[in-house]
Amino acid sequence: MSRYSRQISVKSVGQRGHLRVRNGLVEIYGSGLDSQVCALYLAGAGVGTIFCHSKVVGQVKAINSEIRILEIAEDSTDFRAVCGKETFRSKKTSELGRGSQVARDVIACFLRDQ
């Protein structure tokens, strides 16, 4: 069983959706818990390339060595994720909630219009 077989078996994702996620690129700004949670969720989902703060890079590489993890030079406290022309933020109060919400929104962006 491949790492993403369950994800691919979901009708709304499928092989085509998985390829969009795998070929995707996301920039995650911020170095707090919300940024770490978002990066870990996206790494687990198999996003192909993730740019993130140096504090997050090592953790993400440990989760998924198959993806490219690159360091963002900007040290911003404003947590956000950028996917193509879209910027994602969350109004949730907890850092954990913000990180997971933004990760879900980014994945949904990849799966739109397949």
Side-chain angles (χ1 to χ4, degrees):
M1 179 184 267
S2 79
R3 179 180 188 132
Y4 303 106
S5 60
R6 290 188 313 174
Q7 179 173 303
I8 293 168
S9 70
V10 175
K11 285 184 182 183
S12 60
V13 177
Q15 184 69 33
R16 189 172 180 188
H18 171 68
L19 290 175
R20 288 178 68 130
V21 170
R22 190 179 78 191
N23 294 329
L25 182 146
V26 179
E27 300 170 18
I28 302 170
Y29 294 91
S31 58
L33 180 61
D34 41 15
S35 301
Q36 295 170 25
V37 168
C38 183
L40 293 171
Y41 272 56
L42 294 174
V47 172
T49 303
I50 299 174
F51 288 86
C52 55
H53 190 276
S54 61
K55 292 181 183 176
V56 181
V57 170
Q59 297 169 349
V60 176
K61 283 183 178 177
I63 293 292
N64 190 345
S65 60
E66 297 174 8
I67 61 177
R68 289 182 38 193
I69 309 294
L70 303 165
E71 194 174 314
I72 284 183
E74 179 183 325
D75 190 15
S76 173
T77 56
D78 176 29
F79 166 61
R80 66 196 184 282
V82 179
C83 172
K85 295 180 181 180
E86 293 191 56
T87 298
F88 298 93
R89 290 182 167 89
S90 175
K91 295 182 185 204
K92 293 193 180 247
T93 55
S94 75
E95 289 182 296
L96 181 63
R98 283 193 303 266
S100 60
Q101 178 65 54
V102 168
R104 286 191 299 272
D105 292 346
V106 168
I107 295 298
C109 175
F110 286 129
L111 298 178
R112 255 188 261 143
D113 305 322
Q114 325 186 34

